């Protein structure tokens, strides 16, 4: 997929900035997830206040195979990364903004050790050009708006990734709009959610 960089911002928008520690989200029925599975990672998720369930995207645990089949853009590369990290389990949750224009996604990957988690994080992060960081303490970040040739729309993305022990967290919020529409990555939401999620993982692990 070829993308042409249209805009970059470190300011973001104010939509969805309020957050709350979430109750464990119930897995949404999907062929991508084993609904009999239980995951301790579910209770570690922080979600944006006011965002609603996303019926078109899965919330629930994932294994190596379900991640590769349903979420990975580079299955061969990701298989090697997960294998080398001693991947134990993962959890993914998605939510939509009240106007359904913005989609928030968080993914947690549990590796065998903190050192292997760092290698996994770096491998996942380097798969795409990420050259427009914005300040969030203790996290890798990126914000950009680009033309998506597949959908013929502009897509604005803000994302962050951080480590907590043997866990890798990847937070993303995306918004699509018709070509010619001015949209900016919601760095405000990611900048607010990331420390909330960091605190939740740190408090739980301690």
């Amino acid at each position: 997929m070829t993308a042409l960089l249209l805009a970059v911002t470190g300011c973001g928008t104010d939509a969805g900035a309020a957050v709350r520690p979430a109750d464990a989200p119930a897995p949404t029925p999907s062929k991508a997830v084993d609904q009999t599975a239980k995951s301790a990672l579910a209770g570690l998720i922080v979600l944006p206040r006011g965002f609603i369930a996303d019926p078109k995207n899965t919330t629930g645990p994932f294994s190596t195979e379900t991640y590769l089949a349903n979420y990975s853009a580079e299955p061969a590369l990701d298989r090697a990364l997960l294998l080398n990290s001693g991947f134990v389990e993962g959890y993914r949750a998605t939510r939509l903004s009240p106007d359904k224009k913005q989609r928030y996604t968080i993914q947690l990957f549990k590796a065998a050790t903190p050192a292997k988690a760092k290698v996994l994080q770096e491998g996942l992060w380097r798969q795409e050009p990420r050259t427009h960081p914005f300040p969030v303490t203790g996290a890798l970040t990126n914000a950009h708006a680009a033309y998506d040739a597949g959908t013929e729309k502009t897509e604005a993305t803000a994302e962050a990734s951080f480590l907590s022990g043997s866990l890798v967290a990847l937070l993303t919020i995306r918004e699509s709009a018709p070509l010619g529409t001015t949209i900016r990555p919601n760095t405000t939401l990611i900048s607010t959610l990331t420390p909330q999620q960091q605190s939740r993982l740190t408090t739980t692990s301690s």
Side-chain angles (χ1 to χ4, degrees), residues 7 9 17 32 34 46 66 81 111 124 128 145 148 165 171 184-185 196 200:
T9 178
D34 177 2
V46 174
T66 53
L81 287 172
L124 293 171
E128 298 178 12
D148 186 333
L171 296 70
R184 296 182 177 181
Q196 292 278 348
R200 167 62 72 89

Side-chain angles (χ1 to χ4, degrees), residues 15-18 48-53 95-104 173 186 189:
R49 184 183 299 277
F51 275 44
I52 60 177
R95 291 294 187 272
L96 295 174
S97 60
D99 61 8
K100 299 183 180 181
K101 292 182 179 180
Q102 299 182 60
R103 173 173 285 108
Y104 174 73
I173 185 163
N186 192 344
L189 178 62

Side-chain angles (χ1 to χ4, degrees), residues 21-187:
D23 296 331
T28 302
S30 168
K31 293 179 181 179
V33 177
D34 177 2
Q35 296 302 304
T36 65
K38 301 290 184 180
S39 175
L41 299 180
L44 304 180
I45 299 295
V46 174
L47 297 172
R49 184 183 299 277
F51 275 44
I52 60 177
D54 182 1
K56 294 183 179 180
N57 287 271
T58 299
T59 287
F62 60 80
S63 64
T64 297
E65 295 306 320
T66 53
Y67 179 79
L68 296 176
N70 297 281
Y71 311 131
S72 173
E74 298 285 348
L77 178 57
D78 285 340
R79 183 181 294 278
L81 287 172
L82 295 175
L83 178 63
N84 291 336
S85 73
F87 176 72
V88 177
E89 62 176 326
Y91 198 89
R92 174 186 174 98
T94 67
R95 291 294 187 272
L96 295 174
S97 60
D99 61 8
K100 299 183 180 181
K101 292 182 179 180
Q102 299 182 60
R103 173 173 285 108
Y104 174 73
T105 303
I106 176 168
Q107 297 180 107
L108 296 180
F109 301 81
K110 186 174 183 179
T113 66
K116 290 187 175 183
K118 181 173 178 59
V119 174
L120 175 60
Q121 180 200 37
E122 291 174 348
L124 293 171
W125 194 255
R126 287 198 301 261
Q127 288 181 12
E128 298 178 12
R130 291 179 166 99
T131 57
H132 300 284
F134 55 95
V136 176
T137 302
L140 302 172
T141 61
N142 192 65
H144 73 280
Y147 171 65
D148 186 333
T151 62
E152 297 185 346
K153 291 184 177 181
T154 300
E155 184 173 271
T157 304
E159 54 193 342
S161 178
F162 66 88
L163 295 170
S164 179
S166 60
L167 289 175
V168 178
L170 179 60
L171 296 70
T172 306
I173 185 163
R174 290 187 173 92
E175 179 178 359
S176 295
L179 186 62
T181 304
T182 301
I183 55 175
R184 296 182 177 181
N186 192 344
T187 56

